Structure formats: structure tokens, C-alpha cells
Amino acid sequence: MDRKKHWENIYQTKDLTEVSWYQPVPQTSLDLFKQYNIPFQAKIIDIGGGDSFLVDELLKLGYSDITVLDISKEAIAKAQNRLGKEAEKVNWIVSDITDFKPVHKYDFWHDRAAFHFLTEEKDILKYLQIASEGINKNGILTIGTFSETGPTKCSGIEIRQYSEKSLAERFKSNFQLVHSFTIDHKTPFETIQNFIFGVFRK
């Protein structure tokens, strides 16, 4: 499957409120910034951020060094249009995460619902390598994926479910699990998706 083509089509044909991952306020993610006292000058990257509202909320809070990476040019264009002049404060990267070559090291790596789309071992290993190379020592990595009681597909694509144990196992070479928790996400269609979040420190 051509991942890029698939996601461009999704963002070209659906409004933000018509996708299952839509959150008017990404409260779980925002709570992590607060819980771990992430400084306003920290280098932040949102993997698969697309046109989510996390970047909007971080700008409102005063974060000044934000990168949003997404495979879809259309998703990023939507976010830029929504933000208007504020979009100029953000570093936007159109790339498949498995092709990403970080030129900076980040203090806070955020990924809600991107990692679980990688189902082939070579892609998972590539992600782990890129995350390891792209995060500062003592930096924080947060990963949110569908749990073992969550969906097995999203947007017509197979995903890989994780438990606390399997997520920790994946990242243990370069990261230490600090905290994990599950949370239910209510979609715009009134269905419930169970997520597991892992917070790791390099």
C-alpha cells in the first residue's frame, strides 16, 4: 500500500470532525506537558500531528520551538490555514516518519496514533532508530497506540496493538519506561477506542 497516497486521500476527502482521531482539545497530551514540566523553550516534535489541535494549544501556552511532522501535505496545509500567521512560528515537515532524518535533537517527542500504523518489522525498527537518534539524552518520548482491547484497524488500515509490556519491550534498548496508562477516546461517531500511552525517558 502507498501510505502517502492513502493519507492524502483521507485528508482531501474528509473534514477534521469526520476522522476518528479528532479531538477538539487534546487534553491527554496537554496533561503530559504539564505533568513532566516541559519548559516553554523545549524542542518539541509532534509525529503524525497532521491537522490536530495540539500545535494550536501549545502555541497558546507559550511553547516556542514546535515541529509538526506528517506524511500528508494536505493535513499540514489544513493546519497552516487554520493557524494563519501563527503557522509561521512552527516548523512543518512533510515526511513519512520512516524517511525522516532529524537535523535537531528533541526534548519532547510526541506521537499519538502514528506508531501503531507501522506493522512491518523493518518500519518499526526504522522508527526506533530515528527516535533514538532524534531525542536528547534525558529527553521524553510519549507514544499513544491502540491497546489490546482497542481497534485492530483505523481508516481502513491494519494497525498493531500494544500492551504496556510490549510497548516497553519495543523501546527498551534506548529508553526507560517512566509511566504508562490506558485511556478511552470517544470518536465523533460516538464509538470508544482504548489507547495505551507510554512515557519514556532516554
Side-chain angles (χ1 to χ4, degrees), residues 92-137:
W92 305 93
I93 299 174
V94 178
S95 176
D96 186 313
I97 182 57
T98 60
D99 296 326
F100 179 44
K101 294 178 175 59
V103 294
H104 304 290
K105 287 188 181 287
Y106 297 93
D107 302 306
F108 193 95
W109 177 291
H110 174 270
D111 176 340
R112 174 184 176 267
F115 181 63
H116 65 199
F117 282 107
L118 303 179
T119 56
E120 294 186 26
E121 188 66 14
K122 65 179 177 62
D123 289 336
I124 294 169
L125 293 175
K126 189 70 176 167
Y127 185 109
L128 298 175
Q129 177 193 341
I130 293 164
S132 178
E133 292 172 354
I135 298 177
N136 276 316
K137 184 172 171 55

Side-chain angles (χ1 to χ4, degrees), residues 38-89:
I38 305 304
F40 291 126
Q41 69 275 16
K43 275 194 168 311
I44 296 159
I45 186 165
D46 187 16
I47 304 298
D51 63 346
S52 88
F53 286 111
L54 180 61
V55 63
D56 307 54
E57 297 297 330
L58 293 177
L59 287 169
K60 285 180 200 171
L61 288 170
Y63 285 95
S64 58
D65 196 338
I66 307 166
T67 296
V68 177
L69 177 145
D70 201 276
I71 194 171
S72 168
K73 183 178 179 181
E74 182 72 20
I76 283 179
K78 284 185 174 185
Q80 290 172 325
N81 289 337
R82 183 181 70 238
L83 285 166
K85 286 287 287 182
E86 288 289 288
E88 295 173 12
K89 298 178 181 178

